[in-house]
Amino acid sequence: MDGAVDMKVEDKAVENGEEEDKKTTIGGRKRKLGGIRTMPFILANEICDRFAAVGFHANMITYLTEVLNLPLVKASNTLTNFGGTSSFMPLVGALIADSFAGRFWTIIVGSIIYVLGMVSITTSAIMPQLRPPPCPTKKNCTEASNLQLWVLYICLLLTSIGSGGIRPCVITFAADQIDMTKSKVEGRKWNFYNWYYFCMGLATLTSLTVIVYIQDNVSWAWGLGIPTIAMGLSVVAFVLGSPLYKKVKPGGSPLVRLAQVIVASVKKRKIAIPADSSHLYENKELDAALSSNGRLLHTDQFKFMDRAAVVDGSDMRESNQPNLWRLATVHRVEELKCILRMVPVWAAGILLITSYSHVGSFTIQQARSMDRHLSQSHSFQIPPATMSVFTVLTVLIGLALYERVFVPFIRRFTGNPAGITCLQRMGIGFAVNILATVVSALIEIKRKAVAERYNLLDEPAAIIPISVFWLIPQYCLHGIAEVFMSVGHLEFLIEQSPESMRSTAAALNSLTNSIGNYMGTLVVSLVHSYTGRGNEGNWLPDRNLNRGKLENYYWLITGIQALNLVYYVTCAKFYRYKPLEEVTASEETDVELAKDKLPLDSVKGAKGDGKEVEVSRNGKYSM
């Protein structure tokens, strides 16, 4: 039809199943899908999600304690449980995306549900019958009724479900649009994950300054309504970019594939494993949808799993296709091995979140009791929740310095194009976070000493004459820790996970937060319960933080983090990076490891073709 726009998608595949760049034909001209131009549409969705989530969550401790009149520990546990649920749902969303829905549609559905949750929360903030009477004295306050709390919980649940479709898929969907093979990544002067975190930091900074100020000084209706509008606009922007996206088809349920490997290895537990790994089962066509960037190569770890790839007489169906519950390819066996190798390192992040889960809420309460004026001549007071802006600023500045200063400098000594490995980066983050907690304890001791000097220990609503800027060091240290730990953890999970499980791997990052938040609630509840029985006073009192011993809680989590660091270093020392067969344009096979390559070894290909590959002799990482 003349003048009509004819669109079609051409898919090409090389022999090993690697998808070449998809192209779209518009008006007779071919144009590649994906690329940097898609980033504004994709990241707009994630930025608005972060903008809305931070604007809502960062100051919600104030809403619960000041508006709904909940006790401090109950309010903090409520937020932490909500955070745990929000962090668990991405695992569900990731499984749906990787199994059948795909990342594009999972993001759209999740965004719509998230907007519905935000609209509900904004509506509840407008209606006065959904909150108890004000209690400015903080004494004999009327708490929110069960009905009022249940309305809040339903709103929180909707946003949790919505975030489950957004968070695990957006970053992996963005990564789908650009070439993330090792040769391309090393040729770039920028790190995708650093820039992703930088954009998220800008959204967080805007929310902590503008939105929190509106909530504290204008109204909660506007303070929640603005993020809701922004989230709605982001959905529109994401849909408008649809014709430009490269949409990777889901490869089937990753949990089913992992289960098939386990079942097959158990069924063949009495079968001997061949000494030559080239005798294990390979099927390029079967694995094509799972390995567009290259197949995983055989490793010697967890050799008992190799039995699943040993060919037996009853493994093939009449159609000459394998019974996947009895026979798995080497690639699928290595997918399971990748997950097993990652789990111990991933688990180290749980105790870090456990230790940090309630620190934000307690620090806001500390800030509320301190002098928040910029100077004695200014009447403007910094909202307590806005103090987190110093963490965000540190992250933004730290990411820029990491990319432009730290990496070029440290590269001279390590020879690593990335400067340091993601495991080393995480280790530095763990250590800095311990220092941040120590500083937090010392500052709390200082705050209470000033309160005692001015006889304000029994005045929970009084402002202690100590500047809130004493809290800046701990905020900045937490920001430095995030530059190293959070970015390194996300990069590790996505880069070291099997290609077909990237959304699930990104969800594991959120699952770390989920389990850590629930464990943090358990720790705080136990501390609140058991320390309240003695004569020395509760470490975490309900109303008067001045009479508590928050510094003891900080010392406790410092010890937990120190033990966790020892555990992490042990796991990192024995971790082996995944070997990946990367097929180049000249169809030469190259094995990439996330470490320096060793001299060439002659290694037989999966079919015994004797192709030459580069492979580490042990694949071990050393600190």
Side-chain angles (χ1 to χ4, degrees), residues 543-576:
R543 299 292 180 186
N544 188 359
L545 194 62
N546 297 334
R547 282 296 183 183
K549 294 187 177 180
L550 182 59
E551 68 276 10
N552 287 353
Y553 172 77
Y554 285 141
W555 294 128
L556 173 64
I557 62 176
T558 298
I560 293 175
Q561 290 183 82
L563 294 175
N564 190 50
L565 177 60
V566 174
Y567 164 79
Y568 171 77
V569 172
T570 303
C571 293
K573 185 173 181 62
F574 292 99
Y575 182 79
R576 295 185 182 185

mmCIF file of all heavy atoms in Angstrom, residues 543-576:
data_model
loop_
_atom_site.group_PDB
_atom_site.id
_atom_site.type_symbol
_atom_site.label_atom_id
_atom_site.label_comp_id
_atom_site.label_asym_id
_atom_site.label_seq_id
_atom_site.Cartn_x
_atom_site.Cartn_y
_atom_site.Cartn_z
ATOM 1 N N ARG A 543 8.560 5.074 72.416
ATOM 2 C CA ARG A 543 8.281 6.503 72.237
ATOM 3 C C ARG A 543 9.500 7.400 72.445
ATOM 4 O O ARG A 543 9.698 8.355 71.717
ATOM 5 C CB ARG A 543 7.178 6.931 73.220
ATOM 6 C CG ARG A 543 5.849 6.207 73.042
ATOM 7 C CD ARG A 543 5.179 6.575 71.739
ATOM 8 N NE ARG A 543 3.893 5.876 71.567
ATOM 9 C CZ ARG A 543 3.163 5.921 70.467
ATOM 10 N NH1 ARG A 543 3.575 6.642 69.445
ATOM 11 N NH2 ARG A 543 2.021 5.237 70.374
ATOM 12 N N ASN A 544 10.302 7.108 73.430
ATOM 13 C CA ASN A 544 11.392 8.017 73.815
ATOM 14 C C ASN A 544 12.742 7.391 73.480
ATOM 15 O O ASN A 544 13.289 6.597 74.239
ATOM 16 C CB ASN A 544 11.305 8.334 75.314
ATOM 17 C CG ASN A 544 12.282 9.424 75.711
ATOM 18 O OD1 ASN A 544 13.043 9.931 74.890
ATOM 19 N ND2 ASN A 544 12.257 9.791 76.987
ATOM 20 N N LEU A 545 13.288 7.777 72.346
ATOM 21 C CA LEU A 545 14.574 7.236 71.915
ATOM 22 C C LEU A 545 15.714 7.697 72.817
ATOM 23 O O LEU A 545 16.754 7.024 72.907
ATOM 24 C CB LEU A 545 14.846 7.666 70.461
ATOM 25 C CG LEU A 545 15.965 6.940 69.711
ATOM 26 C CD1 LEU A 545 15.650 5.455 69.586
ATOM 27 C CD2 LEU A 545 16.161 7.561 68.325
ATOM 28 N N ASN A 546 15.516 8.830 73.519
ATOM 29 C CA ASN A 546 16.566 9.343 74.393
ATOM 30 C C ASN A 546 16.857 8.397 75.558
ATOM 31 O O ASN A 546 17.974 8.371 76.089
ATOM 32 C CB ASN A 546 16.176 10.719 74.945
ATOM 33 C CG ASN A 546 16.020 11.753 73.847
ATOM 34 O OD1 ASN A 546 16.626 11.641 72.778
ATOM 35 N ND2 ASN A 546 15.188 12.768 74.092
ATOM 36 N N ARG A 547 15.859 7.643 75.992
ATOM 37 C CA ARG A 547 16.032 6.707 77.094
ATOM 38 C C ARG A 547 16.401 5.291 76.616
ATOM 39 O O ARG A 547 16.520 4.382 77.416
ATOM 40 C CB ARG A 547 14.747 6.639 77.932
ATOM 41 C CG ARG A 547 14.571 7.829 78.873
ATOM 42 C CD ARG A 547 15.681 7.854 79.904
ATOM 43 N NE ARG A 547 15.506 8.941 80.880
ATOM 44 C CZ ARG A 547 16.382 9.210 81.847
ATOM 45 N NH1 ARG A 547 17.482 8.471 81.945
ATOM 46 N NH2 ARG A 547 16.169 10.203 82.684
ATOM 47 N N GLY A 548 16.563 5.148 75.319
ATOM 48 C CA GLY A 548 16.954 3.857 74.772
ATOM 49 C C GLY A 548 18.464 3.713 74.720
ATOM 50 O O GLY A 548 19.224 4.558 75.198
ATOM 51 N N LYS A 549 18.902 2.609 74.141
ATOM 52 C CA LYS A 549 20.333 2.346 73.966
ATOM 53 C C LYS A 549 20.563 1.904 72.529
ATOM 54 O O LYS A 549 21.007 0.786 72.246
ATOM 55 C CB LYS A 549 20.804 1.297 74.959
ATOM 56 C CG LYS A 549 20.724 1.762 76.409
ATOM 57 C CD LYS A 549 21.343 0.765 77.372
ATOM 58 C CE LYS A 549 21.316 1.294 78.804
ATOM 59 N NZ LYS A 549 21.917 0.353 79.763
ATOM 60 N N LEU A 550 20.258 2.823 71.624
ATOM 61 C CA LEU A 550 20.395 2.527 70.208
ATOM 62 C C LEU A 550 21.834 2.189 69.848
ATOM 63 O O LEU A 550 22.080 1.380 68.944
ATOM 64 C CB LEU A 550 19.905 3.733 69.395
ATOM 65 C CG LEU A 550 19.918 3.596 67.872
ATOM 66 C CD1 LEU A 550 19.047 2.420 67.420
ATOM 67 C CD2 LEU A 550 19.453 4.898 67.213
ATOM 68 N N GLU A 551 22.784 2.788 70.571
ATOM 69 C CA GLU A 551 24.189 2.497 70.275
ATOM 70 C C GLU A 551 24.516 1.021 70.493
ATOM 71 O O GLU A 551 25.349 0.430 69.776
ATOM 72 C CB GLU A 551 25.115 3.380 71.105
ATOM 73 C CG GLU A 551 25.129 3.105 72.609
ATOM 74 C CD GLU A 551 24.005 3.804 73.342
ATOM 75 O OE1 GLU A 551 23.099 4.349 72.677
ATOM 76 O OE2 GLU A 551 24.050 3.829 74.585
ATOM 77 N N ASN A 552 23.868 0.380 71.470
ATOM 78 C CA ASN A 552 24.111 -1.048 71.689
ATOM 79 C C ASN A 552 23.608 -1.880 70.508
ATOM 80 O O ASN A 552 24.218 -2.891 70.142
ATOM 81 C CB ASN A 552 23.420 -1.514 72.976
ATOM 82 C CG ASN A 552 24.119 -1.006 74.222
ATOM 83 O OD1 ASN A 552 25.195 -0.404 74.141
ATOM 84 N ND2 ASN A 552 23.514 -1.208 75.375
ATOM 85 N N TYR A 553 22.484 -1.455 69.942
ATOM 86 C CA TYR A 553 21.976 -2.134 68.749
ATOM 87 C C TYR A 553 22.981 -1.994 67.599
ATOM 88 O O TYR A 553 23.241 -2.958 66.859
ATOM 89 C CB TYR A 553 20.624 -1.536 68.352
ATOM 90 C CG TYR A 553 20.100 -2.043 67.027
ATOM 91 C CD1 TYR A 553 19.533 -3.307 66.926
ATOM 92 C CD2 TYR A 553 20.178 -1.242 65.882
ATOM 93 C CE1 TYR A 553 19.053 -3.770 65.704
ATOM 94 C CE2 TYR A 553 19.701 -1.693 64.667
ATOM 95 C CZ TYR A 553 19.139 -2.958 64.578
ATOM 96 O OH TYR A 553 18.678 -3.407 63.369
ATOM 97 N N TYR A 554 23.569 -0.804 67.455
ATOM 98 C CA TYR A 554 24.580 -0.598 66.417
ATOM 99 C C TYR A 554 25.804 -1.484 66.643
ATOM 100 O O TYR A 554 26.381 -2.035 65.696
ATOM 101 C CB TYR A 554 24.997 0.872 66.367
ATOM 102 C CG TYR A 554 23.980 1.785 65.723
ATOM 103 C CD1 TYR A 554 23.741 3.062 66.236
ATOM 104 C CD2 TYR A 554 23.257 1.394 64.613
ATOM 105 C CE1 TYR A 554 22.811 3.912 65.649
ATOM 106 C CE2 TYR A 554 22.325 2.229 64.026
ATOM 107 C CZ TYR A 554 22.113 3.487 64.553
ATOM 108 O OH TYR A 554 21.184 4.318 63.958
ATOM 109 N N TRP A 555 26.226 -1.621 67.913
ATOM 110 C CA TRP A 555 27.369 -2.502 68.200
ATOM 111 C C TRP A 555 27.031 -3.953 67.859
ATOM 112 O O TRP A 555 27.882 -4.707 67.380
ATOM 113 C CB TRP A 555 27.780 -2.395 69.667
ATOM 114 C CG TRP A 555 28.343 -1.067 70.097
ATOM 115 C CD1 TRP A 555 27.947 -0.309 71.150
ATOM 116 C CD2 TRP A 555 29.414 -0.344 69.477
ATOM 117 N NE1 TRP A 555 28.692 0.848 71.228
ATOM 118 C CE2 TRP A 555 29.606 0.847 70.224
ATOM 119 C CE3 TRP A 555 30.229 -0.573 68.370
ATOM 120 C CZ2 TRP A 555 30.570 1.791 69.879
ATOM 121 C CZ3 TRP A 555 31.199 0.370 68.033
ATOM 122 C CH2 TRP A 555 31.357 1.530 68.785
ATOM 123 N N LEU A 556 25.790 -4.340 68.106
ATOM 124 C CA LEU A 556 25.370 -5.707 67.798
ATOM 125 C C LEU A 556 25.476 -5.985 66.301
ATOM 126 O O LEU A 556 26.032 -7.009 65.881
ATOM 127 C CB LEU A 556 23.935 -5.936 68.273
ATOM 128 C CG LEU A 556 23.286 -7.272 67.874
ATOM 129 C CD1 LEU A 556 24.026 -8.444 68.512
ATOM 130 C CD2 LEU A 556 21.807 -7.284 68.268
ATOM 131 N N ILE A 557 24.925 -5.083 65.487
ATOM 132 C CA ILE A 557 24.959 -5.343 64.048
ATOM 133 C C ILE A 557 26.362 -5.158 63.467
ATOM 134 O O ILE A 557 26.676 -5.721 62.413
ATOM 135 C CB ILE A 557 23.939 -4.463 63.294
ATOM 136 C CG1 ILE A 557 24.247 -2.978 63.446
ATOM 137 C CG2 ILE A 557 22.526 -4.767 63.769
ATOM 138 C CD1 ILE A 557 23.305 -2.097 62.634
ATOM 139 N N THR A 558 27.224 -4.388 64.150
ATOM 140 C CA THR A 558 28.621 -4.312 63.725
ATOM 141 C C THR A 558 29.276 -5.678 63.837
ATOM 142 O O THR A 558 30.006 -6.117 62.937
ATOM 143 C CB THR A 558 29.385 -3.284 64.576
ATOM 144 O OG1 THR A 558 28.812 -1.984 64.386
ATOM 145 C CG2 THR A 558 30.856 -3.240 64.179
ATOM 146 N N GLY A 559 29.016 -6.365 64.952
ATOM 147 C CA GLY A 559 29.564 -7.712 65.124
ATOM 148 C C GLY A 559 29.023 -8.681 64.087
ATOM 149 O O GLY A 559 29.771 -9.520 63.553
ATOM 150 N N ILE A 560 27.729 -8.577 63.773
ATOM 151 C CA ILE A 560 27.133 -9.452 62.756
ATOM 152 C C ILE A 560 27.804 -9.227 61.401
ATOM 153 O O ILE A 560 28.137 -10.179 60.681
ATOM 154 C CB ILE A 560 25.616 -9.196 62.659
ATOM 155 C CG1 ILE A 560 24.910 -9.630 63.948
ATOM 156 C CG2 ILE A 560 25.018 -9.919 61.456
ATOM 157 C CD1 ILE A 560 23.428 -9.304 63.985
ATOM 158 N N GLN A 561 28.030 -7.968 61.061
ATOM 159 C CA GLN A 561 28.653 -7.661 59.775
ATOM 160 C C GLN A 561 30.103 -8.122 59.717
ATOM 161 O O GLN A 561 30.585 -8.548 58.660
ATOM 162 C CB GLN A 561 28.589 -6.153 59.518
ATOM 163 C CG GLN A 561 27.189 -5.643 59.244
ATOM 164 C CD GLN A 561 27.185 -4.161 58.933
ATOM 165 O OE1 GLN A 561 27.452 -3.744 57.814
ATOM 166 N NE2 GLN A 561 26.882 -3.357 59.926
ATOM 167 N N ALA A 562 30.818 -8.053 60.830
ATOM 168 C CA ALA A 562 32.210 -8.513 60.854
ATOM 169 C C ALA A 562 32.282 -10.013 60.572
ATOM 170 O O ALA A 562 33.121 -10.474 59.790
ATOM 171 C CB ALA A 562 32.850 -8.183 62.197
ATOM 172 N N LEU A 563 31.408 -10.782 61.202
ATOM 173 C CA LEU A 563 31.368 -12.222 60.943
ATOM 174 C C LEU A 563 30.978 -12.496 59.487
ATOM 175 O O LEU A 563 31.517 -13.411 58.848
ATOM 176 C CB LEU A 563 30.379 -12.899 61.896
ATOM 177 C CG LEU A 563 30.744 -12.891 63.387
ATOM 178 C CD1 LEU A 563 29.611 -13.488 64.218
ATOM 179 C CD2 LEU A 563 32.041 -13.667 63.627
ATOM 180 N N ASN A 564 30.065 -11.698 58.980
ATOM 181 C CA ASN A 564 29.621 -11.869 57.600
ATOM 182 C C ASN A 564 30.745 -11.582 56.616
ATOM 183 O O ASN A 564 30.853 -12.240 55.572
ATOM 184 C CB ASN A 564 28.428 -10.951 57.328
ATOM 185 C CG ASN A 564 27.763 -11.244 56.002
ATOM 186 O OD1 ASN A 564 27.443 -12.389 55.697
ATOM 187 N ND2 ASN A 564 27.552 -10.210 55.199
ATOM 188 N N LEU A 565 31.602 -10.609 56.935
ATOM 189 C CA LEU A 565 32.727 -10.291 56.052
ATOM 190 C C LEU A 565 33.699 -11.464 55.966
ATOM 191 O O LEU A 565 34.212 -11.786 54.882
ATOM 192 C CB LEU A 565 33.449 -9.036 56.555
ATOM 193 C CG LEU A 565 34.697 -8.611 55.760
ATOM 194 C CD1 LEU A 565 34.326 -8.320 54.306
ATOM 195 C CD2 LEU A 565 35.355 -7.392 56.396
ATOM 196 N N VAL A 566 33.959 -12.112 57.097
ATOM 197 C CA VAL A 566 34.841 -13.290 57.101
ATOM 198 C C VAL A 566 34.245 -14.390 56.219
ATOM 199 O O VAL A 566 34.948 -15.026 55.421
ATOM 200 C CB VAL A 566 35.056 -13.806 58.539
ATOM 201 C CG1 VAL A 566 35.846 -15.116 58.534
ATOM 202 C CG2 VAL A 566 35.774 -12.752 59.378
ATOM 203 N N TYR A 567 32.937 -14.608 56.354
ATOM 204 C CA TYR A 567 32.256 -15.605 55.533
ATOM 205 C C TYR A 567 32.362 -15.256 54.049
ATOM 206 O O TYR A 567 32.647 -16.124 53.209
ATOM 207 C CB TYR A 567 30.788 -15.701 55.965
ATOM 208 C CG TYR A 567 29.893 -16.392 54.957
ATOM 209 C CD1 TYR A 567 29.872 -17.783 54.859
ATOM 210 C CD2 TYR A 567 29.078 -15.645 54.104
ATOM 211 C CE1 TYR A 567 29.060 -18.414 53.924
ATOM 212 C CE2 TYR A 567 28.263 -16.272 53.174
ATOM 213 C CZ TYR A 567 28.256 -17.651 53.084
ATOM 214 O OH TYR A 567 27.453 -18.272 52.157
ATOM 215 N N TYR A 568 32.153 -13.981 53.719
ATOM 216 C CA TYR A 568 32.184 -13.559 52.322
ATOM 217 C C TYR A 568 33.565 -13.767 51.701
ATOM 218 O O TYR A 568 33.683 -14.276 50.572
ATOM 219 C CB TYR A 568 31.780 -12.097 52.187
ATOM 220 C CG TYR A 568 32.005 -11.568 50.789
ATOM 221 C CD1 TYR A 568 31.121 -11.885 49.767
ATOM 222 C CD2 TYR A 568 33.123 -10.795 50.494
ATOM 223 C CE1 TYR A 568 31.337 -11.433 48.472
ATOM 224 C CE2 TYR A 568 33.350 -10.338 49.201
ATOM 225 C CZ TYR A 568 32.463 -10.665 48.203
ATOM 226 O OH TYR A 568 32.694 -10.237 46.922
ATOM 227 N N VAL A 569 34.607 -13.356 52.407
ATOM 228 C CA VAL A 569 35.965 -13.499 51.876
ATOM 229 C C VAL A 569 36.275 -14.968 51.591
ATOM 230 O O VAL A 569 36.890 -15.311 50.577
ATOM 231 C CB VAL A 569 36.997 -12.891 52.850
ATOM 232 C CG1 VAL A 569 38.412 -13.216 52.404
ATOM 233 C CG2 VAL A 569 36.816 -11.379 52.942
ATOM 234 N N THR A 570 35.823 -15.845 52.479
ATOM 235 C CA THR A 570 36.035 -17.281 52.277
ATOM 236 C C THR A 570 35.332 -17.763 51.010
ATOM 237 O O THR A 570 35.916 -18.500 50.203
ATOM 238 C CB THR A 570 35.524 -18.074 53.493
ATOM 239 O OG1 THR A 570 36.174 -17.603 54.679
ATOM 240 C CG2 THR A 570 35.807 -19.561 53.324
ATOM 241 N N CYS A 571 34.078 -17.348 50.819
ATOM 242 C CA CYS A 571 33.328 -17.758 49.628
ATOM 243 C C CYS A 571 33.957 -17.197 48.355
ATOM 244 O O CYS A 571 34.068 -17.899 47.338
ATOM 245 C CB CYS A 571 31.875 -17.293 49.730
ATOM 246 S SG CYS A 571 30.917 -18.089 51.038
ATOM 247 N N ALA A 572 34.356 -15.922 48.397
ATOM 248 C CA ALA A 572 34.926 -15.281 47.218
ATOM 249 C C ALA A 572 36.242 -15.920 46.806
ATOM 250 O O ALA A 572 36.556 -16.022 45.613
ATOM 251 C CB ALA A 572 35.126 -13.787 47.477
ATOM 252 N N LYS A 573 37.021 -16.364 47.779
ATOM 253 C CA LYS A 573 38.323 -16.945 47.485
ATOM 254 C C LYS A 573 38.199 -18.227 46.659
ATOM 255 O O LYS A 573 39.041 -18.534 45.820
ATOM 256 C CB LYS A 573 39.070 -17.230 48.787
ATOM 257 C CG LYS A 573 40.496 -17.735 48.575
ATOM 258 C CD LYS A 573 41.234 -17.835 49.882
ATOM 259 C CE LYS A 573 42.660 -18.326 49.659
ATOM 260 N NZ LYS A 573 43.442 -17.384 48.829
ATOM 261 N N PHE A 574 37.134 -18.975 46.892
ATOM 262 C CA PHE A 574 36.979 -20.255 46.208
ATOM 263 C C PHE A 574 35.993 -20.193 45.036
ATOM 264 O O PHE A 574 35.687 -21.219 44.436
ATOM 265 C CB PHE A 574 36.518 -21.331 47.204
ATOM 266 C CG PHE A 574 37.562 -21.678 48.228
ATOM 267 C CD1 PHE A 574 37.520 -21.120 49.496
ATOM 268 C CD2 PHE A 574 38.599 -22.542 47.915
ATOM 269 C CE1 PHE A 574 38.482 -21.418 50.448
ATOM 270 C CE2 PHE A 574 39.570 -22.848 48.852
ATOM 271 C CZ PHE A 574 39.522 -22.288 50.120
ATOM 272 N N TYR A 575 35.515 -18.993 44.712
ATOM 273 C CA TYR A 575 34.547 -18.872 43.619
ATOM 274 C C TYR A 575 35.245 -18.999 42.267
ATOM 275 O O TYR A 575 36.358 -18.497 42.071
ATOM 276 C CB TYR A 575 33.817 -17.529 43.686
ATOM 277 C CG TYR A 575 32.779 -17.376 42.604
ATOM 278 C CD1 TYR A 575 31.535 -17.985 42.725
ATOM 279 C CD2 TYR A 575 33.060 -16.661 41.442
ATOM 280 C CE1 TYR A 575 30.582 -17.876 41.721
ATOM 281 C CE2 TYR A 575 32.117 -16.541 40.438
ATOM 282 C CZ TYR A 575 30.887 -17.153 40.586
ATOM 283 O OH TYR A 575 29.954 -17.056 39.589
ATOM 284 N N ARG A 576 34.597 -19.662 41.321
ATOM 285 C CA ARG A 576 35.090 -19.791 39.959
ATOM 286 C C ARG A 576 34.121 -19.090 39.002
ATOM 287 O O ARG A 576 32.922 -19.352 39.036
ATOM 288 C CB ARG A 576 35.226 -21.261 39.551
ATOM 289 C CG ARG A 576 36.269 -22.025 40.341
ATOM 290 C CD ARG A 576 36.435 -23.426 39.794
ATOM 291 N NE ARG A 576 37.390 -24.196 40.574
ATOM 292 C CZ ARG A 576 37.796 -25.421 40.255
ATOM 293 N NH1 ARG A 576 37.309 -26.010 39.186
ATOM 294 N NH2 ARG A 576 38.681 -26.057 41.010
#
